[in-house]
Structure formats: C-alpha cells, structure tokens
C-alpha cells in the first residue's frame, strides 16, 4: 500500500512538467546576436583547422520580410513552425603543423582561409528545428586569413607563419546547407532537472564543402526547451543561435557524437579550377564534443571541447579545439 502511494505521488510530481510541455507557445519578440570563437589554442596546438570566428544574428519569431516568406513557402518545412531569419559573417583559417617552414610542406594541411557571409531561414516547432542556409564567400588571399593569423601571432608572441605564399588561390565559393534536429524531452521531478536527446541530420552542397552528416546530442540540466544546443561554425552542425529562457538562471551539460561522409572539402582537396596544394582526404570523419552552457537573464555563454578523427591520410595526429560562444537577446 505504501509503495502504491509513493508511486502515485511520483506520478503526480511529473504532471506539472507534462502540462508545461503542452502550454501554448507565445511569440518570441526578441532577436539574438551570437559570437562564436573556435581555436585550437584550447587544445595546446596550432595546426589543421586552427581558428574560426563567426558573428550571427537571428530575428525575432515571424518577423521575416515578405520576400523571405516567399522563399520559405517553397521549402518543405513544417506548416506549424515559427520562422526566423538568420544572417552570419565569419572567417575560418587552416595551416600546417610546421609554421616556420617557407617551402611547401608536402602531405600536411595546406594554408587556407575562408571569408564568408550566410543567409538562412529557421523553422522551430519546439520538437523539430529546420535550417536552410546559403553561404557565399571567397577562399585564398582575399579571405584575409594570412593577415589575421600573422596579426594574432604578433599580438600573442607566437611563431610567425612563414608559408602563406603556398596558400590556396583566390576562388569564390558557395555552400547550400540543410539540417534537421529532433528534440525529445524528459523531466525529472521534483528538482526540475531535464534530459533530452537531439538526433540530427544534415547535408552541405557546394564548391567549398559537400558532405552528409548525422549524429546526436545528449543534454542534462535545466530549461532544456530554451534552445537546441549552442551554435557552431559550419560544416559542423550547429545548435541554435536563438534561445528562449524561462527562468533567470539555467544551464546544462552536453555530449555530441557525430559523423560525416565527405565528398568535397576545398581546404584539403585544393582549388576547384586551378592547381594548388592538396592532401588526400578521408571519406569518413567523426567527432566527439563535450561542453556546458549557462544562461543568465538574456545572455547565454557556452564552452565546447571538440575531438576530431583524422581528416586526411597523412595527418599525424587527430585534431582538437575549443569553442566559446556568447549570445545575447535584445
């Protein structure tokens, strides 16, 4: 009898969480600005994918201009989803392990940079997140990656990179990206701790990246419905630039396992229409991400540590790097 009473009380403790999940979603009237900084300094290295920075803005819900709604009408997004416009600009940088060599380092990652801007449409149903993004940019000296790396190394007293004369040549590039995430949430009463699993699939098509990917994120913490995880720089599948907190202070821990089948990676394959340094890439690439995110008021801060499998056949060591993201609602 006592056992039945305890079980009944436990079930009653879950009722508020169940009803909370069914509450009518109010339109979020705030946009979000995000800064993502990725660097292998956090893994005590300076090679391969060595630095990335991305500035992003996501609009308030259902405030897209008419021309964006016209595009969204042709997309196979859920009809009951709330839509946002997303705009980003960023730069990514790649370099070989030995920065002091002036000659071409055969078999090591070519010097390369990628300067880009993106436009995307996001649809959120609370249970699924769809994101279609078009990215346009330039690879080569016009990406300003050489200037950026040399400036940072002078500022930090690091080794000056001497081999940028062998970087990829100037080339305009594009990537059309689509991704879908599913979110399943379980609430643990009485402390309000939640856990969820977010499977994802994605595809990139373009002259810069062409690949398909899949994976899943496991999270444990508070106010998980606020987002789909912190954002990342592509070709990694991002979480979400936007977040909608329901309390003043919350946070969670997360682990992501992902895999990608790579058909095209200009930073390893070299220029599309010109002869340039290149290495033999691996078709399958995996990653493990471990991190935490904290939200206070209208600001979210997160750190992610990323471990990558080898991306090309002559790569001596798997790469790793850290990611810091800062987002603010306004």
């Amino acid at each position: 009898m006592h056992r039945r009473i305890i079980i009944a009380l436990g079930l009653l403790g879950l009722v508020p969480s169940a009803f909370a999940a069914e509450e009518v979603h109010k339109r979020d009237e705030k946009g979000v600005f995000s800064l993502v900084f990725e660097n292998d300094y956090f893994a005590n290295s300076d090679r391969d994918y060595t630095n990335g920075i991305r500035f992003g803005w996501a609009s308030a819900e259902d405030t897209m201009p008419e021309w964006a709604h016209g595009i969204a009408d042709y997309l196979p997004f859920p009809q009951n989803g709330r839509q946002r416009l997303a705009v980003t600009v960023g730069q990514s940088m790649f370099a070989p392990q030995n920065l002091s060599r002036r000659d071409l380092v055969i078999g090591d990652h070519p010097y390369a940079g990628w300067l880009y801007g993106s436009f995307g449409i996001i649809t959120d149903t609370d249970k699924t997140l769809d994101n279609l993004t078009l990215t346009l940019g330039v690879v080569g000296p016009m990406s300003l990656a050489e200037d950026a790396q040399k400036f940072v190394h002078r500022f930090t007293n690091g080794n000056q990179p001497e081999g940028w004369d062998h970087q990829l040549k100037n080339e305009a590039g594009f990537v059309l990206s689509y991704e879908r995430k599913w979110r399943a949430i379980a609430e643990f009463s009485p402390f309000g701790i939640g856990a969820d699993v977010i499977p994802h699939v994605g595809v990139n098509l373009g002259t810069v990246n062409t690949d398909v990917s899949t994976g899943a994120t496991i999270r444990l913490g508070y106010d998980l419905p606020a987002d789909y995880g912190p954002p990342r720089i592509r070709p990694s599948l991002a979480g979400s630039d936007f977040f909608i907190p329901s309390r003043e202070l919350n946070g969670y821990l997360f682990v992501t396992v992902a895999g990608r089948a790579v058909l095209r990676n200009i930073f390893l394959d070299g220029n599309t229409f010109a002869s340039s340094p290149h290495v033999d890439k691996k078709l399958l690439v995996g990653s493990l991400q471990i991190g935490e995110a904290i939200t206070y008021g209208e600001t979210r801060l997160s750190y992610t540590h990323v471990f990558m499998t080898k991306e090309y056949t002559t790569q001596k060591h798997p790469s790793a790097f850290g990611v810091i993201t800062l987002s603010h609602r306004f």
Side-chain angles (χ1 to χ4, degrees), residues 6 8 17 26 43 62 113 124 128 136 156 173 192 196 223 238 288 298:
I6 293 173
S17 297
K26 296 180 180 179
D62 300 326
D124 174 29
T128 62
L136 303 174
T156 59
D196 67 6
D223 198 20
L288 171 66
E298 305 292 346

Side-chain angles (χ1 to χ4, degrees), residues 41-297:
Y41 171 83
F42 301 106
N44 195 31
S45 65
D46 196 7
R47 56 180 171 82
D48 301 318
Y49 174 48
T50 185
N51 185 75
I53 189 167
R54 168 187 175 273
F55 299 91
W57 171 79
S59 71
E61 289 181 349
D62 300 326
T63 59
M64 296 193 309
E66 287 300 322
W67 59 267
H69 278 294
I71 296 175
D73 289 341
Y74 289 96
L75 302 177
F77 286 176
Q79 295 299 312
N80 62 333
R82 296 169 300 279
Q83 295 178 335
R84 297 175 186 261
L85 187 67
V87 179
T88 64
V89 294
Q91 182 194 63
S92 296
M93 185 187 307
F94 306 83
Q97 182 171 356
N98 191 338
L99 298 179
S100 63
R101 289 181 56 173
R102 295 177 179 270
D103 59 325
L104 176 62
V105 184
I106 303 297
D108 208 341
H109 202 300
Y111 282 95
W114 169 232
L115 184 67
Y116 61 88
S118 300
F119 160 80
I121 296 175
I122 304 169
T123 298
D124 174 29
T125 69
D126 289 332
K127 295 298 183 182
T128 62
L129 183 71
D130 292 85
N131 192 341
L132 182 70
T133 302
L134 176 63
T135 301
L136 303 174
V138 62
V139 174
M142 291 180 63
S143 71
L144 305 179
E146 176 182 1
D147 299 320
Q149 188 179 42
K150 288 182 176 180
F151 171 79
V152 170
H153 279 228
R154 281 196 298 269
F155 183 77
T156 59
N157 295 319
N159 294 328
Q160 278 298 305
E162 302 292 347
W164 275 100
D165 288 345
H166 303 286
Q167 69 174 300
L168 270 60
K169 298 177 175 60
N170 283 326
E171 177 178 327
F174 78 94
V175 185
L176 182 64
S177 306
Y178 171 76
E179 61 189 39
R180 159 66 74 92
K181 296 181 178 65
W182 296 266
R183 182 169 59 193
I185 298 176
E187 295 286 347
F188 298 101
S189 183
F191 303 110
I193 298 176
D196 67 6
V197 179
I198 307 177
H200 64 251
V201 295
V203 58
N204 294 307
L205 297 173
T207 59
V208 177
N209 295 107
T210 296
D211 55 59
V212 293
S213 57
T214 187
T217 299
I218 300 174
R219 303 190 297 171
L220 178 66
Y222 295 93
D223 198 20
L224 299 183
D227 64 13
Y228 288 80
R232 285 283 316 281
I233 295 176
R234 297 186 186 280
S236 298
L237 288 181
S240 58
D241 278 293
F242 69 89
F243 61 105
I244 311 174
S246 63
R247 59 167 71 185
E248 185 71 9
L249 176 64
N250 60 71
Y252 56 83
L253 305 174
F254 64 91
V255 176
T256 300
V257 177
R260 183 184 307 122
V262 184
L263 301 180
R264 170 71 174 161
N265 181 341
I266 194 172
F267 310 113
L268 299 176
D269 294 323
N271 286 104
T272 309
F273 307 107
S275 176
S276 65
H278 62 277
V279 291
D280 294 329
K281 68 176 181 296
K282 287 181 172 290
L283 176 62
L284 300 178
V285 177
S287 67
L288 171 66
Q289 306 175 32
I290 303 173
E292 60 182 337
I294 298 175
T295 301
Y296 179 73

